[in-house]
Amino acid sequence: MRILYVDLEREWRGGQSQALLTVRGLRALGHDAQLLSVWGSPLARRAAAAGIPVHDVAKKARRAGAALLLRKLPSLQNYDVLHANEPHALTAAWLAGAQRLTHVIVSRRVAYSLSSGGLARKRYQIVHRIVAISHFVEKSVLESGVAPEKVAVVYEGVEVPPLPTQEARQQARRRWSVAENEKLLGCIGYLLPEKGQEIAIRALSTIGTKVPRARLLLAGDGPCRAGLEALVQQLGMQDKVTFAGFVEDVTQVYAALDVFVFPSLAEPLGTSLLAAMAWGLPVLAVASGGVPEYVKDGDNGLLAAQPDPELFSAVMVRISSDESLRITLGQNARRTIGERFSAERMVENTIRVYEGVLQEMKTG
């Protein structure tokens, strides 16, 4: 198949990681997958470095620029699929009238209902399939009135890396001045209210006597950073919480951690949580959003019933204090990813969606 994958985000977040994994995986299986993205963006740079053909547009007026580029591409009608990875990409495809030349598919990564009118809804009227990243997201799409046959669920996937050596772990922990006898809990994510980092900070502040050597590493930046730093100062936890900012090589974070915490309030899926499980880390998350679709409490992770600091604190103590439990949870977590949520499985399921759409068009 010939696929044009479109992503116009200018920053590197979970969706862009999935775009790179998908296009790279498609090409590895012999498909002619190409990328349309913003010039100089992290995704464009990483894709080019991986040998992926990249069509790029300027950062300013990126949607209009992408629409013009799509109209000018003489081969657009020769692509079997145009896959819009995010809303800006779908807008560009709609402005270009791409649905008249190829089959348009869009990924859906948020659980908000589709707007009932205006531009937002018109964009979705051109797609042949909406790919939801979890059943939690699928439910919101169906509740917006989209016909079930137009929706498919493809879980996002991550690579399953080799387990870090003891030397790699020690090196990673030295980066953030973490002693070997300290328990390092941490998470990776944009610093936003809905990501729940405040819950993790408040929970940590209450476990001092039960887990006195516990520390928290927050990797990521965002608009809430100043407020979270102020909270840490207010609680007198400057020596307990480290703000790592944006970390280019997140493998260093996973290698350094003892426990991965995921306090997000209602995450559609959670690629950083999937990645932590792939690294064999014991994980603690909130039982909301798409998370319970793959984290099974007491089996491959621990779940707090609500995004509440007190509940999160109790589970923090349990997972930090029981080494045998951490080992079992980590092993089961890694097995879960290898069997159901690997990047290879995600690419295979994406191909099935493409093939299903093409077959419908032939028979319809």
Side-chain angles (χ1 to χ4, degrees), residues 104-261:
V104 178
I105 290 169
V106 63
S107 291
R108 182 75 176 171
R109 290 189 165 82
V110 295
Y112 311 124
S113 296
L114 298 178
S115 300
S116 58
L119 170 62
R121 194 56 177 236
K122 287 182 179 178
R123 293 179 304 176
Y124 281 90
Q125 290 174 351
I126 73 168
V127 305
H128 297 87
R129 194 74 85 246
I130 298 174
V131 179
I133 63 168
S134 65
H135 288 289
F136 176 65
V137 173
E138 177 194 35
K139 182 173 181 289
S140 70
V141 175
L142 295 176
E143 288 175 348
S144 300
V146 177
E149 60 270 18
K150 290 196 69 174
V151 186
V153 174
V154 174
Y155 287 120
E156 293 183 325
V158 294
E159 295 177 306
V160 181
L163 292 174
T165 63
Q166 187 63 21
E167 180 182 351
R169 171 181 162 82
Q170 291 172 349
Q171 180 180 352
R173 289 170 76 88
R174 282 196 297 268
R175 176 172 177 176
W176 290 288
S177 303
V178 182
E180 191 56 39
N181 65 343
E182 290 181 312
K183 289 288 183 295
L184 185 62
L185 297 83
C187 63
I188 299 171
Y190 210 50
L191 303 182
L192 293 170
E194 61 267 26
K195 294 297 183 180
Q197 288 94 353
E198 179 179 342
I199 294 170
I201 292 171
R202 292 190 180 279
L204 186 76
S205 72
T206 67
I207 70 172
T209 57
K210 297 177 181 177
V211 192
R213 303 289 292 176
R215 287 181 54 186
L216 179 66
L217 177 69
L218 299 177
D221 249 319
C224 286
R225 178 164 180 167
L228 292 172
E229 289 177 332
L231 174 62
V232 168
Q233 287 197 348
Q234 176 189 332
L235 296 172
M237 297 176 61
Q238 296 92 322
D239 61 335
K240 294 287 189 180
V241 181
T242 299
F243 290 87
F246 176 76
V247 180
E248 182 76 25
D249 183 9
V250 293
T251 64
Q252 291 280 295
V253 179
Y254 294 120
L257 294 180
D258 294 295
V259 177
F260 189 85
V261 297

Side-chain angles (χ1 to χ4, degrees), residues 233-314:
Q233 287 197 348
Q234 176 189 332
L235 296 172
M237 297 176 61
Q238 296 92 322
D239 61 335
K240 294 287 189 180
V241 181
T242 299
F243 290 87
F246 176 76
V247 180
E248 182 76 25
D249 183 9
V250 293
T251 64
Q252 291 280 295
V253 179
Y254 294 120
L257 294 180
D258 294 295
V259 177
F260 189 85
V261 297
F262 196 75
S264 188
L265 309 188
E267 191 72 21
L269 191 65
T271 52
S272 65
L273 178 56
L274 290 172
M277 294 172 70
W279 276 83
L281 285 170
V283 300
L284 157 60
V286 178
S288 63
V291 170
E293 295 181 34
Y294 60 97
V295 178
K296 305 304 177 186
D297 189 37
D299 176 30
N300 59 6
L302 295 183
L303 294 175
Q306 300 290 335
D308 175 80
E310 188 173 335
L311 292 176
F312 218 71
S313 172

Side-chain angles (χ1 to χ4, degrees), residues 84-97:
N85 192 49
E86 42 76 34
H88 299 300
L90 180 58
T91 298
W94 174 68
L95 291 171

